[in-house]
Amino acid sequence: MVKIAPSILSADFSRLGEEVRRVESAGADWVHVDVMDGMFVPNLTFGPTVIKHVRPYTQLPFDVHLMIVKPERYLKQFAEAGADLITVHVEASDQVRQSLDTVHVLGKGAGLSVNPETAFERAVPYLEQLELLLVMSVRPGFGGQSFMPDVMPKVREACRLKEENGYRYEIEVDGGINRHTAKICVEAGASVLVAGNALFGLADMGAEMSIWKGYEKVNSGNAL
Ligand code: DX5
Ligand code: ZN
């Protein structure tokens, strides 16, 4: 069954602790934490100190998505703040392999993300090392953007390579996920869905997530 990782980018930042509690009681699987530096993306959010303060409010794994330049500078701080999975962007540094290794040395799951305009081939050399492959379905930086269906071939290809080679990574899609686009992602082979706007506005986030969890992969037999 697909896992759901609500993005606290769409939460009420004045009540972040209560918001992650709400996510947990609604039945979410992970908490998705969007870290932005105003350089890699044109927006700023928060850093390790905020994560450390929110961490005690839930038992759910923290899936920390680093949209920052040269993330290798901060991996230790995010690990110490309570991240369980740490994802770096393939476009953000020339030290991708070292960063993934560092995340493992810190005892955390290593994720790699690809922007919509980045060729999937850029991620292929690292697939064997990953616990998580994050396929961006919007240009990172802001919640509430429209889903880009043309990234779905990356999801199908990631699925094919995983099955062929016995890789262990989850395939996560992030950006513009709602009831309709969630189905498209799961049918293509996504195993984790990130969603901000489509969930946080709802009084009953759990009911919506149950619908998404009913979707199943469709085996097209065609990778691309
Ligand atoms: C975008 C972030 C996403 C974002 C998703 O840069 O990585 O996690 O919060 O928000 P929605 O679901 O509103 O597109
Ligand atoms: Zn994200």
Side-chain angles (χ1 to χ4, degrees), residues 7 9 32 34 36 65 67 136 140-144 174-176 194-197:
S7 164
L9 186 60
H32 186 81
D34 286 309
M36 304 185 186
H65 177 191
M67 287 162 274
M136 289 306 301
F142 299 92
D174 183 4
V194 174
N197 270 28

Side-chain angles (χ1 to χ4, degrees), residues 158-179:
C159 226
R160 187 182 71 80
L161 289 171
K162 178 179 172 176
E163 282 166 17
E164 246 179 50
N165 299 290
Y167 295 147
R168 63 184 180 277
Y169 52 78
E170 300 273 8
I171 303 169
E172 182 176 58
V173 185
D174 183 4
I177 307 283
N178 55 35
R179 191 181 297 184

Side-chain angles (χ1 to χ4, degrees), residues 34-37 39-42 65-69 87-93 112-123 133-142 145 148 150-155 172-175:
D34 286 309
V35 177
M36 304 185 186
D37 68 350
M39 293 290 286
F40 183 71
V41 289
H65 177 191
L66 298 181
M67 287 162 274
I68 68 177
V69 171
T87 297
V88 299
H89 267 262
V90 72
E91 308 88 359
S93 158
L112 185 65
S113 183
V114 280
N115 278 340
E117 63 276 11
T118 302
F120 181 71
E121 287 64 38
R122 292 268 306 270
L133 177 75
L134 200 181
V135 176
M136 289 306 301
S137 45
V138 298
R139 289 204 182 85
F142 299 92
Q145 304 182 73
M148 299 165 80
D150 46 326
V151 304
M152 286 302 101
K154 293 179 185 173
V155 173
E172 182 176 58
V173 185
D174 183 4

Side-chain angles (χ1 to χ4, degrees), residues 17-201:
E18 291 159 51
E19 290 281 72
V20 299
R21 261 191 204 139
R22 175 159 80 101
V23 161
E24 179 167 9
S25 38
D29 299 279
W30 296 353
V31 176
H32 186 81
V33 181
D34 286 309
V35 177
M36 304 185 186
D37 68 350
M39 293 290 286
F40 183 71
V41 289
N43 195 8
L44 289 156
T45 54
F46 42 70
T49 309
V50 171
I51 296 173
K52 189 176 107 194
H53 283 88
V54 180
R55 180 67 276 196
Y57 285 80
T58 177
Q59 305 269 342
L60 294 182
F62 269 22
D63 164 30
V64 176
H65 177 191
L66 298 181
M67 287 162 274
I68 68 177
V69 171
K70 296 192 189 301
E72 59 272 13
R73 296 171 296 157
Y74 292 106
L75 298 171
K76 189 161 182 275
Q77 285 93 319
F78 283 104
E80 287 172 357
D84 297 281
L85 289 142
I86 302 179
T87 297
V88 299
H89 267 262
V90 72
E91 308 88 359
S93 158
D94 53 9
Q95 294 187 34
V96 174
R97 194 173 298 283
Q98 296 93 317
S99 293
L100 300 172
D101 287 342
T102 303
V103 172
H104 285 147
V105 168
L106 292 164
K108 308 298 176 182
L112 185 65
S113 183
V114 280
N115 278 340
E117 63 276 11
T118 302
F120 181 71
E121 287 64 38
R122 292 268 306 270
V124 170
Y126 310 105
L127 293 178
E128 195 178 357
Q129 275 179 283
L130 303 179
E131 276 70 45
L132 179 68
L133 177 75
L134 200 181
V135 176
M136 289 306 301
S137 45
V138 298
R139 289 204 182 85
F142 299 92
Q145 304 182 73
S146 296
F147 179 78
M148 299 165 80
D150 46 326
V151 304
M152 286 302 101
K154 293 179 185 173
V155 173
R156 287 193 283 274
E157 182 66 358
C159 226
R160 187 182 71 80
L161 289 171
K162 178 179 172 176
E163 282 166 17
E164 246 179 50
N165 299 290
Y167 295 147
R168 63 184 180 277
Y169 52 78
E170 300 273 8
I171 303 169
E172 182 176 58
V173 185
D174 183 4
I177 307 283
N178 55 35
R179 191 181 297 184
H180 170 67
T181 58
K183 187 163 192 273
I184 296 171
C185 295
V186 174
E187 288 184 350
S191 59
V192 187
L193 302 175
V194 174
N197 270 28
L199 292 178
F200 274 91

